[in-house]
Short mmCIF file of all heavy atoms in Angstrom, two decimals:
data_model
loop_
_atom_site.label_atom_id
_atom_site.label_comp_id
_atom_site.label_asym_id
_atom_site.label_seq_id
_atom_site.Cartn_x
_atom_site.Cartn_y
_atom_site.Cartn_z
N MET C 1 -16.93 -2.30 -5.09
CA MET C 1 -15.99 -3.07 -4.29
C MET C 1 -14.82 -2.16 -3.91
O MET C 1 -14.32 -1.40 -4.72
CB MET C 1 -15.50 -4.27 -5.10
CG MET C 1 -14.75 -5.26 -4.26
SD MET C 1 -14.36 -6.80 -5.11
CE MET C 1 -15.95 -7.42 -5.52
N ASN C 2 -14.36 -2.24 -2.67
CA ASN C 2 -13.28 -1.39 -2.17
C ASN C 2 -11.92 -1.96 -2.51
O ASN C 2 -11.69 -3.16 -2.42
CB ASN C 2 -13.41 -1.21 -0.67
CG ASN C 2 -14.64 -0.41 -0.30
OD1 ASN C 2 -14.99 0.53 -1.00
ND2 ASN C 2 -15.29 -0.79 0.77
N LYS C 3 -11.01 -1.05 -2.86
CA LYS C 3 -9.64 -1.43 -3.22
C LYS C 3 -8.70 -1.03 -2.10
O LYS C 3 -8.74 0.10 -1.61
CB LYS C 3 -9.24 -0.73 -4.51
CG LYS C 3 -7.89 -1.18 -5.05
CD LYS C 3 -7.42 -0.36 -6.23
CE LYS C 3 -8.39 -0.34 -7.37
NZ LYS C 3 -7.87 0.38 -8.55
N ILE C 4 -7.82 -1.96 -1.71
CA ILE C 4 -6.84 -1.74 -0.65
C ILE C 4 -5.45 -1.94 -1.22
O ILE C 4 -5.18 -2.94 -1.89
CB ILE C 4 -7.08 -2.69 0.53
CG1 ILE C 4 -8.46 -2.44 1.15
CG2 ILE C 4 -5.98 -2.53 1.58
CD1 ILE C 4 -8.85 -3.43 2.23
N LEU C 5 -4.57 -0.98 -0.94
CA LEU C 5 -3.16 -1.09 -1.31
C LEU C 5 -2.37 -1.43 -0.06
O LEU C 5 -2.44 -0.71 0.93
CB LEU C 5 -2.66 0.23 -1.91
CG LEU C 5 -1.15 0.37 -2.10
CD1 LEU C 5 -0.59 -0.69 -3.04
CD2 LEU C 5 -0.80 1.78 -2.59
N ILE C 6 -1.62 -2.52 -0.12
CA ILE C 6 -0.72 -2.90 0.96
C ILE C 6 0.70 -2.54 0.52
O ILE C 6 1.15 -2.98 -0.53
CB ILE C 6 -0.79 -4.42 1.26
CG1 ILE C 6 -2.20 -4.82 1.64
CG2 ILE C 6 0.21 -4.80 2.35
CD1 ILE C 6 -2.41 -6.33 1.72
N VAL C 7 1.38 -1.73 1.34
CA VAL C 7 2.77 -1.38 1.07
C VAL C 7 3.59 -1.97 2.21
O VAL C 7 3.61 -1.43 3.32
CB VAL C 7 2.99 0.14 0.96
CG1 VAL C 7 4.41 0.44 0.51
CG2 VAL C 7 1.98 0.77 -0.01
N GLU C 8 4.22 -3.09 1.94
CA GLU C 8 4.91 -3.89 2.96
C GLU C 8 6.03 -4.67 2.30
O GLU C 8 5.80 -5.28 1.25
CB GLU C 8 3.90 -4.82 3.63
CG GLU C 8 4.45 -5.91 4.49
CD GLU C 8 5.18 -5.41 5.72
OE1 GLU C 8 4.55 -4.77 6.57
OE2 GLU C 8 6.40 -5.66 5.82
N ASP C 9 7.22 -4.66 2.89
CA ASP C 9 8.34 -5.36 2.28
C ASP C 9 8.45 -6.82 2.69
O ASP C 9 9.20 -7.58 2.07
CB ASP C 9 9.67 -4.62 2.55
CG ASP C 9 9.96 -4.44 4.01
OD1 ASP C 9 9.02 -4.35 4.81
OD2 ASP C 9 11.15 -4.37 4.36
N GLU C 10 7.69 -7.26 3.67
CA GLU C 10 7.71 -8.68 4.07
C GLU C 10 6.63 -9.43 3.29
O GLU C 10 5.43 -9.25 3.52
CB GLU C 10 7.49 -8.81 5.57
CG GLU C 10 8.65 -8.26 6.38
CD GLU C 10 8.49 -8.50 7.86
OE1 GLU C 10 7.92 -9.55 8.23
OE2 GLU C 10 8.92 -7.63 8.63
N LYS C 11 7.08 -10.27 2.38
CA LYS C 11 6.14 -10.94 1.46
C LYS C 11 5.16 -11.86 2.19
O LYS C 11 4.01 -11.97 1.78
CB LYS C 11 6.91 -11.70 0.39
CG LYS C 11 7.64 -10.71 -0.51
CD LYS C 11 8.31 -11.35 -1.68
CE LYS C 11 9.06 -10.24 -2.40
NZ LYS C 11 9.20 -10.37 -3.76
N ASP C 12 5.59 -12.51 3.26
CA ASP C 12 4.67 -13.37 4.02
C ASP C 12 3.55 -12.57 4.65
O ASP C 12 2.40 -13.03 4.71
CB ASP C 12 5.43 -14.16 5.10
CG ASP C 12 6.34 -15.23 4.53
OD1 ASP C 12 6.12 -15.64 3.36
OD2 ASP C 12 7.26 -15.68 5.24
N MET C 13 3.86 -11.38 5.12
CA MET C 13 2.84 -10.50 5.70
C MET C 13 1.83 -10.09 4.63
O MET C 13 0.62 -10.13 4.86
CB MET C 13 3.50 -9.26 6.31
CG MET C 13 2.52 -8.28 6.90
SD MET C 13 1.79 -8.82 8.43
CE MET C 13 3.17 -8.55 9.53
N VAL C 14 2.32 -9.75 3.46
CA VAL C 14 1.44 -9.37 2.35
C VAL C 14 0.54 -10.55 1.98
O VAL C 14 -0.66 -10.38 1.79
CB VAL C 14 2.24 -8.89 1.13
CG1 VAL C 14 1.33 -8.67 -0.08
CG2 VAL C 14 3.00 -7.62 1.45
N THR C 15 1.11 -11.72 1.89
CA THR C 15 0.34 -12.92 1.53
C THR C 15 -0.80 -13.15 2.50
O THR C 15 -1.94 -13.39 2.09
CB THR C 15 1.26 -14.15 1.47
OG1 THR C 15 2.29 -13.92 0.51
CG2 THR C 15 0.49 -15.40 1.09
N GLY C 16 -0.52 -13.07 3.80
CA GLY C 16 -1.56 -13.28 4.81
C GLY C 16 -2.64 -12.22 4.77
O GLY C 16 -3.84 -12.53 4.83
N LEU C 17 -2.23 -10.97 4.69
CA LEU C 17 -3.21 -9.89 4.63
C LEU C 17 -4.07 -9.99 3.37
O LEU C 17 -5.30 -9.85 3.42
CB LEU C 17 -2.50 -8.53 4.65
CG LEU C 17 -1.90 -8.10 5.98
CD1 LEU C 17 -0.99 -6.90 5.79
CD2 LEU C 17 -2.99 -7.80 6.99
N LYS C 18 -3.41 -10.24 2.25
CA LYS C 18 -4.13 -10.34 0.97
C LYS C 18 -5.15 -11.48 1.00
O LYS C 18 -6.29 -11.30 0.58
CB LYS C 18 -3.12 -10.53 -0.16
CG LYS C 18 -3.73 -10.43 -1.52
CD LYS C 18 -2.66 -10.45 -2.60
CE LYS C 18 -3.34 -10.29 -3.94
NZ LYS C 18 -2.45 -10.24 -5.05
N PHE C 19 -4.75 -12.62 1.51
CA PHE C 19 -5.65 -13.78 1.59
C PHE C 19 -6.90 -13.43 2.40
O PHE C 19 -8.04 -13.69 1.97
CB PHE C 19 -4.92 -14.96 2.23
CG PHE C 19 -5.80 -16.15 2.47
CD1 PHE C 19 -6.08 -17.04 1.44
CD2 PHE C 19 -6.35 -16.38 3.71
CE1 PHE C 19 -6.90 -18.14 1.64
CE2 PHE C 19 -7.17 -17.48 3.93
CZ PHE C 19 -7.45 -18.35 2.90
N ASN C 20 -6.71 -12.83 3.57
CA ASN C 20 -7.85 -12.51 4.44
C ASN C 20 -8.72 -11.40 3.89
O ASN C 20 -9.95 -11.46 4.01
CB ASN C 20 -7.34 -12.14 5.85
CG ASN C 20 -6.92 -13.37 6.61
OD1 ASN C 20 -7.74 -14.20 6.96
ND2 ASN C 20 -5.63 -13.51 6.84
N LEU C 21 -8.13 -10.40 3.29
CA LEU C 21 -8.92 -9.31 2.73
C LEU C 21 -9.70 -9.73 1.48
O LEU C 21 -10.86 -9.35 1.31
CB LEU C 21 -8.02 -8.11 2.43
CG LEU C 21 -7.45 -7.41 3.67
CD1 LEU C 21 -6.34 -6.44 3.27
CD2 LEU C 21 -8.55 -6.69 4.43
N GLU C 22 -9.06 -10.52 0.62
CA GLU C 22 -9.76 -11.00 -0.58
C GLU C 22 -10.89 -11.95 -0.19
O GLU C 22 -11.92 -11.99 -0.89
CB GLU C 22 -8.78 -11.68 -1.53
CG GLU C 22 -7.89 -10.68 -2.23
CD GLU C 22 -6.86 -11.31 -3.15
OE1 GLU C 22 -6.54 -12.51 -3.00
OE2 GLU C 22 -6.35 -10.58 -4.02
N ALA C 23 -10.75 -12.67 0.90
CA ALA C 23 -11.83 -13.54 1.38
C ALA C 23 -13.06 -12.74 1.79
O ALA C 23 -14.16 -13.26 1.83
CB ALA C 23 -11.34 -14.40 2.55
N ARG C 24 -12.85 -11.46 2.06
CA ARG C 24 -13.95 -10.56 2.43
C ARG C 24 -14.32 -9.63 1.27
O ARG C 24 -14.91 -8.57 1.46
CB ARG C 24 -13.56 -9.77 3.66
CG ARG C 24 -13.58 -10.66 4.91
CD ARG C 24 -12.74 -10.13 6.02
NE ARG C 24 -12.75 -11.00 7.18
CZ ARG C 24 -12.02 -12.12 7.31
NH1 ARG C 24 -11.26 -12.54 6.33
NH2 ARG C 24 -12.09 -12.85 8.41
N ASP C 25 -13.95 -10.06 0.07
CA ASP C 25 -14.34 -9.40 -1.18
C ASP C 25 -13.71 -8.03 -1.43
O ASP C 25 -14.26 -7.20 -2.17
CB ASP C 25 -15.86 -9.29 -1.31
CG ASP C 25 -16.51 -10.66 -1.45
OD1 ASP C 25 -15.89 -11.54 -2.08
OD2 ASP C 25 -17.61 -10.85 -0.91
N TYR C 26 -12.54 -7.77 -0.85
CA TYR C 26 -11.81 -6.56 -1.19
C TYR C 26 -10.90 -6.84 -2.38
O TYR C 26 -10.42 -7.94 -2.56
CB TYR C 26 -10.94 -6.10 -0.01
CG TYR C 26 -11.73 -5.56 1.15
CD1 TYR C 26 -11.97 -6.36 2.27
CD2 TYR C 26 -12.24 -4.27 1.13
CE1 TYR C 26 -12.69 -5.87 3.34
CE2 TYR C 26 -12.97 -3.78 2.19
CZ TYR C 26 -13.19 -4.58 3.29
OH TYR C 26 -13.93 -4.10 4.34
N ILE C 27 -10.66 -5.83 -3.18
CA ILE C 27 -9.65 -5.90 -4.23
C ILE C 27 -8.35 -5.47 -3.56
O ILE C 27 -8.28 -4.40 -2.95
CB ILE C 27 -9.98 -4.95 -5.39
CG1 ILE C 27 -11.29 -5.35 -6.05
CG2 ILE C 27 -8.84 -4.91 -6.39
CD1 ILE C 27 -11.82 -4.33 -7.03
N VAL C 28 -7.33 -6.30 -3.64
CA VAL C 28 -6.07 -6.03 -2.95
C VAL C 28 -4.93 -5.93 -3.96
O VAL C 28 -4.76 -6.81 -4.81
CB VAL C 28 -5.75 -7.12 -1.91
CG1 VAL C 28 -4.44 -6.82 -1.20
CG2 VAL C 28 -6.89 -7.25 -0.90
N ILE C 29 -4.18 -4.84 -3.87
CA ILE C 29 -2.97 -4.68 -4.66
C ILE C 29 -1.82 -4.47 -3.68
O ILE C 29 -2.05 -4.05 -2.53
CB ILE C 29 -3.09 -3.51 -5.67
CG1 ILE C 29 -3.49 -2.22 -4.98
CG2 ILE C 29 -4.08 -3.87 -6.77
CD1 ILE C 29 -3.56 -1.02 -5.90
N ALA C 30 -0.60 -4.77 -4.10
CA ALA C 30 0.51 -4.71 -3.16
C ALA C 30 1.76 -4.13 -3.81
O ALA C 30 1.98 -4.28 -5.01
CB ALA C 30 0.81 -6.10 -2.62
N ALA C 31 2.54 -3.47 -2.97
CA ALA C 31 3.86 -2.97 -3.36
C ALA C 31 4.83 -3.37 -2.26
O ALA C 31 4.46 -3.45 -1.09
CB ALA C 31 3.83 -1.46 -3.53
N TYR C 32 6.08 -3.61 -2.64
CA TYR C 32 7.07 -4.12 -1.69
C TYR C 32 8.15 -3.11 -1.33
O TYR C 32 9.11 -3.44 -0.64
CB TYR C 32 7.68 -5.41 -2.23
CG TYR C 32 6.64 -6.49 -2.40
CD1 TYR C 32 6.06 -6.73 -3.64
CD2 TYR C 32 6.19 -7.22 -1.32
CE1 TYR C 32 5.07 -7.69 -3.79
CE2 TYR C 32 5.21 -8.18 -1.46
CZ TYR C 32 4.65 -8.41 -2.70
OH TYR C 32 3.67 -9.36 -2.85
N ASP C 33 8.01 -1.87 -1.80
CA ASP C 33 8.90 -0.79 -1.38
C ASP C 33 8.12 0.52 -1.44
O ASP C 33 7.07 0.61 -2.07
CB ASP C 33 10.17 -0.73 -2.24
CG ASP C 33 9.90 -0.41 -3.69
OD1 ASP C 33 9.57 0.76 -3.99
OD2 ASP C 33 10.00 -1.32 -4.54
N GLY C 34 8.63 1.54 -0.76
CA GLY C 34 7.92 2.80 -0.65
C GLY C 34 7.74 3.53 -1.97
O GLY C 34 6.69 4.12 -2.23
N GLU C 35 8.75 3.49 -2.80
CA GLU C 35 8.67 4.19 -4.09
C GLU C 35 7.57 3.61 -4.97
O GLU C 35 6.75 4.34 -5.54
CB GLU C 35 10.02 4.09 -4.79
CG GLU C 35 10.17 4.94 -6.01
CD GLU C 35 11.59 4.86 -6.56
OE1 GLU C 35 12.47 5.50 -5.97
OE2 GLU C 35 11.77 4.14 -7.56
N THR C 36 7.52 2.30 -5.08
CA THR C 36 6.48 1.63 -5.87
C THR C 36 5.11 1.85 -5.24
O THR C 36 4.12 2.09 -5.94
CB THR C 36 6.77 0.13 -6.00
OG1 THR C 36 8.08 -0.04 -6.55
CG2 THR C 36 5.75 -0.57 -6.88
N GLY C 37 5.04 1.78 -3.91
CA GLY C 37 3.78 2.01 -3.21
C GLY C 37 3.23 3.39 -3.47
O GLY C 37 2.03 3.57 -3.71
N TYR C 38 4.11 4.38 -3.46
CA TYR C 38 3.69 5.76 -3.74
C TYR C 38 3.11 5.86 -5.15
O TYR C 38 2.02 6.40 -5.35
CB TYR C 38 4.87 6.71 -3.56
CG TYR C 38 4.60 8.09 -4.08
CD1 TYR C 38 3.74 8.95 -3.40
CD2 TYR C 38 5.17 8.53 -5.27
CE1 TYR C 38 3.46 10.21 -3.89
CE2 TYR C 38 4.91 9.80 -5.76
CZ TYR C 38 4.05 10.63 -5.06
OH TYR C 38 3.77 11.87 -5.56
N ARG C 39 3.84 5.32 -6.13
CA ARG C 39 3.36 5.38 -7.53
C ARG C 39 2.04 4.64 -7.69
O ARG C 39 1.13 5.12 -8.39
CB ARG C 39 4.41 4.81 -8.47
CG ARG C 39 5.57 5.75 -8.73
CD ARG C 39 6.39 5.37 -9.95
NE ARG C 39 6.73 3.96 -10.02
CZ ARG C 39 7.85 3.43 -9.55
NH1 ARG C 39 8.75 4.18 -8.98
NH2 ARG C 39 8.07 2.13 -9.65
N MET C 40 1.90 3.48 -7.04
CA MET C 40 0.65 2.72 -7.16
C MET C 40 -0.51 3.47 -6.51
O MET C 40 -1.63 3.44 -7.03
CB MET C 40 0.81 1.33 -6.54
CG MET C 40 1.66 0.40 -7.36
SD MET C 40 1.82 -1.24 -6.62
CE MET C 40 0.21 -1.92 -6.98
N ALA C 41 -0.26 4.13 -5.39
CA ALA C 41 -1.33 4.90 -4.73
C ALA C 41 -1.82 6.02 -5.64
O ALA C 41 -3.02 6.26 -5.74
CB ALA C 41 -0.83 5.45 -3.40
N ILE C 42 -0.90 6.69 -6.31
CA ILE C 42 -1.28 7.78 -7.22
C ILE C 42 -2.03 7.24 -8.43
O ILE C 42 -3.07 7.77 -8.82
CB ILE C 42 -0.02 8.55 -7.68
CG1 ILE C 42 0.67 9.23 -6.50
CG2 ILE C 42 -0.36 9.56 -8.79
CD1 ILE C 42 -0.19 10.24 -5.77
N ASP C 43 -1.53 6.15 -9.01
CA ASP C 43 -2.14 5.59 -10.22
C ASP C 43 -3.45 4.86 -9.96
O ASP C 43 -4.40 4.98 -10.73
CB ASP C 43 -1.17 4.62 -10.91
CG ASP C 43 0.07 5.31 -11.45
OD1 ASP C 43 0.05 6.55 -11.62
OD2 ASP C 43 1.07 4.61 -11.71
N GLU C 44 -3.51 4.08 -8.90
CA GLU C 44 -4.66 3.20 -8.64
C GLU C 44 -5.76 3.84 -7.79
O GLU C 44 -6.88 3.36 -7.78
CB GLU C 44 -4.19 1.92 -7.94
CG GLU C 44 -3.22 1.08 -8.77
CD GLU C 44 -3.92 0.34 -9.89
OE1 GLU C 44 -5.13 0.07 -9.79
OE2 GLU C 44 -3.23 0.03 -10.88
N ARG C 45 -5.44 4.88 -7.04
CA ARG C 45 -6.39 5.56 -6.17
C ARG C 45 -7.16 4.58 -5.27
O ARG C 45 -8.40 4.50 -5.31
CB ARG C 45 -7.38 6.41 -6.97
CG ARG C 45 -6.74 7.51 -7.76
CD ARG C 45 -6.28 8.59 -6.84
NE ARG C 45 -5.73 9.71 -7.63
CZ ARG C 45 -5.27 10.80 -7.08
NH1 ARG C 45 -5.28 10.95 -5.79
NH2 ARG C 45 -4.77 11.74 -7.82
N PRO C 46 -6.46 3.84 -4.41
CA PRO C 46 -7.16 2.89 -3.53
C PRO C 46 -8.01 3.61 -2.49
O PRO C 46 -7.78 4.79 -2.18
CB PRO C 46 -6.00 2.13 -2.87
CG PRO C 46 -4.88 3.10 -2.86
CD PRO C 46 -5.03 3.88 -4.15
N ASP C 47 -8.96 2.88 -1.93
CA ASP C 47 -9.80 3.42 -0.87
C ASP C 47 -9.06 3.44 0.48
O ASP C 47 -9.38 4.23 1.36
CB ASP C 47 -11.08 2.58 -0.73
CG ASP C 47 -11.88 2.62 -2.01
OD1 ASP C 47 -12.37 3.70 -2.36
OD2 ASP C 47 -11.99 1.57 -2.68
N LEU C 48 -8.08 2.55 0.62
CA LEU C 48 -7.32 2.43 1.87
C LEU C 48 -5.89 2.01 1.53
O LEU C 48 -5.69 1.19 0.64
CB LEU C 48 -7.96 1.38 2.78
CG LEU C 48 -7.24 1.03 4.08
CD1 LEU C 48 -7.34 2.20 5.06
CD2 LEU C 48 -7.84 -0.22 4.69
N VAL C 49 -4.93 2.58 2.24
CA VAL C 49 -3.53 2.17 2.10
C VAL C 49 -3.05 1.66 3.45
O VAL C 49 -3.12 2.38 4.45
CB VAL C 49 -2.62 3.35 1.65
CG1 VAL C 49 -1.17 2.90 1.57
CG2 VAL C 49 -3.09 3.91 0.31
N LEU C 50 -2.61 0.41 3.48
CA LEU C 50 -1.96 -0.16 4.66
C LEU C 50 -0.47 0.01 4.44
O LEU C 50 0.11 -0.62 3.56
CB LEU C 50 -2.32 -1.64 4.82
CG LEU C 50 -3.79 -1.96 5.05
CD1 LEU C 50 -4.00 -3.46 5.14
CD2 LEU C 50 -4.30 -1.27 6.29
N LEU C 51 0.15 0.88 5.22
CA LEU C 51 1.50 1.34 4.95
C LEU C 51 2.45 1.00 6.09
O LEU C 51 2.28 1.47 7.21
CB LEU C 51 1.46 2.86 4.74
CG LEU C 51 2.73 3.60 4.43
CD1 LEU C 51 3.34 3.11 3.12
CD2 LEU C 51 2.44 5.10 4.34
N ASP C 52 3.45 0.18 5.79
CA ASP C 52 4.52 -0.12 6.73
C ASP C 52 5.41 1.11 6.86
O ASP C 52 5.50 1.91 5.93
CB ASP C 52 5.31 -1.32 6.21
CG ASP C 52 6.37 -1.82 7.19
OD1 ASP C 52 6.27 -1.50 8.39
OD2 ASP C 52 7.28 -2.53 6.75
N LEU C 53 6.07 1.28 7.99
CA LEU C 53 6.95 2.44 8.16
C LEU C 53 8.37 2.16 7.71
O LEU C 53 9.02 3.03 7.15
CB LEU C 53 6.94 2.88 9.62
CG LEU C 53 5.59 3.39 10.14
CD1 LEU C 53 5.70 3.76 11.61
CD2 LEU C 53 5.10 4.56 9.32
N MET C 54 8.86 0.97 7.96
CA MET C 54 10.25 0.62 7.63
C MET C 54 10.27 -0.05 6.26
O MET C 54 10.11 -1.27 6.16
CB MET C 54 10.82 -0.32 8.69
CG MET C 54 10.73 0.22 10.10
SD MET C 54 12.02 1.38 10.48
CE MET C 54 13.38 0.28 10.67
N LEU C 55 10.44 0.75 5.21
CA LEU C 55 10.41 0.26 3.84
C LEU C 55 11.69 0.63 3.10
O LEU C 55 12.30 1.66 3.40
CB LEU C 55 9.23 0.90 3.08
CG LEU C 55 7.84 0.52 3.51
CD1 LEU C 55 6.84 1.49 2.91
CD2 LEU C 55 7.52 -0.90 3.09
N PRO C 56 12.07 -0.18 2.10
CA PRO C 56 13.19 0.22 1.25
C PRO C 56 12.80 1.38 0.33
O PRO C 56 11.63 1.58 0.06
CB PRO C 56 13.50 -1.03 0.43
CG PRO C 56 12.50 -2.06 0.78
CD PRO C 56 11.59 -1.52 1.81
N LYS C 57 13.78 2.10 -0.13
CA LYS C 57 13.68 3.23 -1.08
C LYS C 57 13.07 4.47 -0.44
O LYS C 57 13.75 5.47 -0.31
CB LYS C 57 12.98 2.84 -2.37
CG LYS C 57 13.72 1.75 -3.13
CD LYS C 57 13.12 1.50 -4.47
CE LYS C 57 13.89 0.38 -5.15
NZ LYS C 57 13.32 0.03 -6.41
N LEU C 58 11.80 4.47 -0.10
CA LEU C 58 11.16 5.56 0.65
C LEU C 58 10.52 4.93 1.88
O LEU C 58 9.80 3.94 1.76
CB LEU C 58 10.04 6.21 -0.17
CG LEU C 58 10.38 7.14 -1.31
CD1 LEU C 58 9.10 7.55 -2.04
CD2 LEU C 58 11.10 8.36 -0.83
N ASN C 59 10.76 5.50 3.06
CA ASN C 59 10.11 4.91 4.24
C ASN C 59 8.64 5.33 4.29
O ASN C 59 8.20 6.21 3.54
CB ASN C 59 10.88 5.25 5.53
CG ASN C 59 10.79 6.70 5.93
OD1 ASN C 59 9.74 7.32 5.87
ND2 ASN C 59 11.92 7.25 6.35
N GLY C 60 7.90 4.71 5.16
CA GLY C 60 6.47 4.96 5.25
C GLY C 60 6.11 6.40 5.57
O GLY C 60 5.11 6.92 5.09
N TYR C 61 6.92 7.06 6.41
CA TYR C 61 6.67 8.47 6.72
C TYR C 61 6.79 9.34 5.47
O TYR C 61 5.97 10.22 5.24
CB TYR C 61 7.65 8.97 7.78
CG TYR C 61 7.45 8.35 9.15
CD1 TYR C 61 8.42 7.52 9.69
CD2 TYR C 61 6.31 8.61 9.90
CE1 TYR C 61 8.26 6.95 10.94
CE2 TYR C 61 6.13 8.04 11.14
CZ TYR C 61 7.11 7.21 11.66
OH TYR C 61 6.93 6.65 12.91
N GLU C 62 7.82 9.08 4.67
CA GLU C 62 8.01 9.86 3.44
C GLU C 62 6.87 9.62 2.46
O GLU C 62 6.38 10.56 1.83
CB GLU C 62 9.35 9.50 2.80
CG GLU C 62 10.54 9.92 3.63
CD GLU C 62 11.85 9.30 3.16
OE1 GLU C 62 11.83 8.15 2.67
OE2 GLU C 62 12.88 9.96 3.29
N VAL C 63 6.45 8.36 2.32
CA VAL C 63 5.34 8.04 1.43
C VAL C 63 4.08 8.77 1.89
O VAL C 63 3.37 9.38 1.08
CB VAL C 63 5.09 6.51 1.37
CG1 VAL C 63 3.82 6.20 0.59
CG2 VAL C 63 6.28 5.78 0.78
N CYS C 64 3.83 8.74 3.18
CA CYS C 64 2.63 9.38 3.73
C CYS C 64 2.66 10.89 3.46
O CYS C 64 1.65 11.47 3.04
CB CYS C 64 2.54 9.10 5.22
SG CYS C 64 0.97 9.58 5.94
N LYS C 65 3.80 11.54 3.67
CA LYS C 65 3.92 12.98 3.41
C LYS C 65 3.65 13.31 1.94
O LYS C 65 2.94 14.25 1.62
CB LYS C 65 5.31 13.47 3.78
CG LYS C 65 5.53 13.64 5.25
CD LYS C 65 6.94 14.19 5.47
CE LYS C 65 7.43 13.87 6.85
NZ LYS C 65 8.82 14.30 7.05
N LEU C 66 4.24 12.49 1.04
CA LEU C 66 4.04 12.73 -0.39
C LEU C 66 2.58 12.52 -0.79
O LEU C 66 2.02 13.31 -1.56
CB LEU C 66 4.94 11.80 -1.21
CG LEU C 66 6.43 12.10 -1.14
CD1 LEU C 66 7.23 10.96 -1.78
CD2 LEU C 66 6.75 13.42 -1.80
N LEU C 67 1.95 11.50 -0.26
CA LEU C 67 0.55 11.22 -0.60
C LEU C 67 -0.36 12.32 -0.05
O LEU C 67 -1.34 12.69 -0.69
CB LEU C 67 0.12 9.85 -0.07
CG LEU C 67 0.71 8.65 -0.80
CD1 LEU C 67 0.28 7.36 -0.12
CD2 LEU C 67 0.30 8.64 -2.26
N LYS C 68 -0.03 12.81 1.11
CA LYS C 68 -0.85 13.87 1.70
C LYS C 68 -0.85 15.12 0.81
O LYS C 68 -1.87 15.80 0.69
CB LYS C 68 -0.34 14.21 3.10
CG LYS C 68 -1.22 15.10 3.88
CD LYS C 68 -0.71 15.25 5.30
CE LYS C 68 -1.60 16.23 6.05
NZ LYS C 68 -1.16 16.41 7.43
N LYS C 69 0.29 15.40 0.18
CA LYS C 69 0.37 16.55 -0.73
C LYS C 69 -0.37 16.29 -2.03
O LYS C 69 -0.98 17.21 -2.59
CB LYS C 69 1.84 16.84 -1.06
CG LYS C 69 2.62 17.44 0.06
CD LYS C 69 4.05 17.67 -0.35
CE LYS C 69 4.89 18.13 0.83
NZ LYS C 69 6.30 18.28 0.46
N GLU C 70 -0.34 15.06 -2.53
CA GLU C 70 -0.93 14.70 -3.82
C GLU C 70 -2.42 14.44 -3.77
O GLU C 70 -3.13 14.75 -4.72
CB GLU C 70 -0.25 13.44 -4.37
CG GLU C 70 1.12 13.64 -4.91
CD GLU C 70 1.14 14.34 -6.26
OE1 GLU C 70 0.20 14.17 -7.05
OE2 GLU C 70 2.09 15.09 -6.48
N MET C 71 -2.87 13.81 -2.70
CA MET C 71 -4.26 13.35 -2.62
C MET C 71 -5.02 14.15 -1.57
O MET C 71 -4.74 14.01 -0.39
CB MET C 71 -4.31 11.87 -2.29
CG MET C 71 -3.54 11.01 -3.29
SD MET C 71 -3.43 9.29 -2.76
CE MET C 71 -4.76 8.60 -3.70
N PRO C 72 -5.99 14.92 -1.99
CA PRO C 72 -6.76 15.73 -1.02
C PRO C 72 -7.61 14.87 -0.10
O PRO C 72 -7.92 13.77 -0.34
CB PRO C 72 -7.63 16.61 -1.90
CG PRO C 72 -7.61 16.02 -3.26
CD PRO C 72 -6.44 15.11 -3.33
#
């Protein structure tokens, strides 16, 4: 089963995405700020990251740059 990490600060958006993805048998985990999303991506190793750009703590561009260095 594929795991998807949603990094989004709008909780309603996360709720909708999570509902629809879980209905299609994906495992969905979520973070509500860039710093937590980065740590979860490193720890959980999801198959896909849905990453918002405008995030608290670390923006989406910064998270993407850090993940690119960490994850081949």
Side-chain angles (χ1 to χ4, degrees):
M1 192 172 299
N2 293 322
K3 186 187 304 184
I4 298 174
L5 169 61
I6 301 170
V7 187
E8 167 65 63
D9 58 331
E10 292 185 34
K11 293 186 184 211
D12 290 340
M13 178 73 75
V14 173
T15 301
L17 287 168
K18 189 172 182 178
F19 175 82
N20 284 293
L21 291 168
E22 287 178 340
R24 287 158 181 80
D25 294 325
Y26 290 100
I27 297 169
V28 180
I29 54 177
Y32 298 98
D33 64 73
E35 189 175 283
T36 305
Y38 169 73
R39 284 197 313 267
M40 287 180 75
I42 297 300
D43 294 342
E44 298 285 335
R45 298 288 184 179
D47 299 294
L48 175 71
V49 177
L50 297 178
L51 180 61
D52 186 19
L53 296 178
M54 305 280 285
L55 293 166
K57 298 187 181 177
L58 285 175
N59 70 42
Y61 292 114
E62 293 167 327
V63 173
C64 191
K65 283 182 203 176
L66 291 170
L67 289 176
K68 190 174 177 180
K69 288 179 186 176
E70 285 286 328
M71 303 172 98

